[in-house]
Amino acid sequence: MNKPILQVDDLAVTYSQIIPALRGVSLTVPQGAIVALLGGNGAGKTTTLKAISSLVRAERGELTGGRIAYSGEDVTRSEPWTLAERGLVQVLEGRRCFGHLSVEENLRIGSFVRRPRRPEIESDLERIYTIFPRLRVKRKAPAGYTSGGEQQMVAIGRALMARPSLVLLDEPSMGLAPLIVEEIFETIGALNRDEGVSFLLAEQNASIALRFAGYGYVLESGRVVAHGAADELRELDALQDAYLGGTPVDYGARRTNRAVAATSA
Ligand SMILES: Nc1ncnc2c1ncn2[C@@H]1O[C@H](COP(=O)(O)OP(=O)(O)O)[C@@H](O)[C@H]1O
Ligand SMILES: [Mg+2]
């Protein structure tokens, strides 16, 4: 088997020194895979992604334990820009764009970590416009005046301008109409299939995430409560309940034969 592009072991994160958000999260993203990180609101998905990309500190969060290896090298507590230079980029939740800058200016910002030459930026922009034809049409428009779906495309396009190997993508479906969600996931699937970009995909929308991901982890209260191949996780019909904020599901009892219920730490 290929060396995993991302290996996370036993991550623990505390906010403001008292609020435990992650209590020992371990996961693996194989090279060239799409892995889903599922769970309801507050489960710890965003914290996991931000711990990996070293952005938790900006939120008064502290990594109190665990190890992160990217392409086989320990990157625990690396600076976010060092990781971006090495091809690990995050698309933040809520598709944050610079609203007053144009779509194209937003995209150009994404290339800065590579300090590319001008022709290279132009050809990368062309590539993004081929991937997201809507952005070509809107390239002069202030990003803040485009639709939610277009802003998500800008956010993903900006990440792609860094020519990433691994994208940490936080809730791409949030607040978007089903057709746009479909379009965005098709694009993620194509980037993965055609260019080998790996994705760690945080989603509350398990059904769409598991159609595109090969493997998934389910988080609850900062712990991995189940993980398995996408087909196996889909059979956990109880999975959907967890996203509606219902009663905690006993994954141990409901798991299918092959999906693994994680042992708690
Ligand atoms: N900046 C923060 N300060 C304090 N607590 C936070 C902060 N961000 C998240 N949390 C808490 O950490 C837990 C995990 O949140 P989060 O990672 O955002 O979950 P998810 O992305 O799955 O919705 C929640 O209990 C949340 O309230
Ligand atoms: Mg979140």
Side-chain angles (χ1 to χ4, degrees):
M1 197 181 92
N2 283 347
K3 176 170 72 180
I5 190 159
L6 184 73
Q7 177 67 48
V8 169
D9 292 305
D10 220 18
L11 271 196
V13 169
T14 303
Y15 285 110
S16 304
Q17 304 189 322
I18 45 167
I19 307 162
L22 298 187
R23 309 155 191 260
V25 169
S26 300
L27 58 87
T28 305
V29 180
Q31 185 82 47
I34 301 178
V35 171
L37 188 58
L38 308 171
N41 201 13
K45 302 181 299 298
T46 296
T47 303
T48 302
L49 299 191
K50 286 188 168 176
I52 295 166
S53 59
S54 275
L55 294 173
V56 276
R57 267 174 293 166
E59 311 253 356
R60 296 172 35 85
E62 195 196 344
L63 198 64
T64 52
R67 285 163 309 281
I68 302 157
Y70 170 63
S71 291
E73 276 180 50
D74 190 322
V75 295
T76 318
R77 298 185 176 83
S78 290
E79 299 300 339
W81 52 89
T82 322
L83 293 170
E85 272 171 6
R86 298 184 52 195
L88 191 167
V89 299
Q90 180 160 0
V91 179
L92 293 168
E93 188 173 41
R95 45 188 178 269
R96 273 177 250 168
C97 298
F98 299 98
H100 57 291
L101 298 183
S102 72
V103 163
E104 185 157 307
E105 286 162 342
N106 269 275
L107 294 175
R108 286 178 187 278
I109 288 168
S111 65
F112 290 175
V113 291
R114 294 189 300 108
R115 299 181 200 93
R117 292 164 187 278
R118 199 181 171 84
E120 221 177 290
I121 298 181
E122 301 311 313
S123 70
D124 282 3
L125 270 175
E126 190 52 38
R127 171 173 167 252
I128 303 302
Y129 292 144
T130 307
I131 296 170
F132 296 114
R134 284 154 178 268
L135 297 188
R136 188 193 299 279
V137 180
K138 297 279 176 88
R139 68 185 189 279
K140 296 271 186 350
Y145 288 97
T146 63
S147 71
E150 286 159 355
Q151 289 183 32
Q152 184 63 266
M153 293 172 194
V154 171
I156 295 172
R158 193 173 57 204
L160 295 176
M161 289 292 284
R163 297 193 184 177
S165 305
L166 173 63
V167 179
L168 311 178
L169 193 50
D170 202 352
E171 305 243 21
S173 80
M174 193 192 269
L176 301 180
L179 272 177
I180 302 290
V181 171
E182 189 69 31
E183 188 179 335
I184 285 169
F185 272 82
E186 291 289 349
T187 306
I188 293 166
L191 285 163
N192 173 258
R193 197 173 53 240
D194 304 339
E195 305 186 24
V197 181
S198 307
F199 288 89
L200 178 58
L201 182 66
E203 261 299 343
Q204 289 198 43
N205 184 339
S207 55
I208 185 116
L210 291 176
R211 267 177 48 214
F212 289 85
Y215 201 88
Y217 293 82
V218 184
L219 281 184
E220 205 179 281
S221 304
R223 284 199 176 88
V224 176
V225 291
H227 61 97
D231 321 350
E232 297 154 15
L233 283 181
R234 260 196 301 267
E235 288 167 36
L236 292 170
D237 44 289
L239 200 66
Q240 282 300 337
D241 303 345
Y243 303 113
L244 302 172
T247 45
V249 178
D250 181 355
Y251 292 97
R254 305 283 304 267
R255 72 184 193 266
T256 56
N257 291 338
R258 284 167 302 157
V260 189
T263 49
S264 56

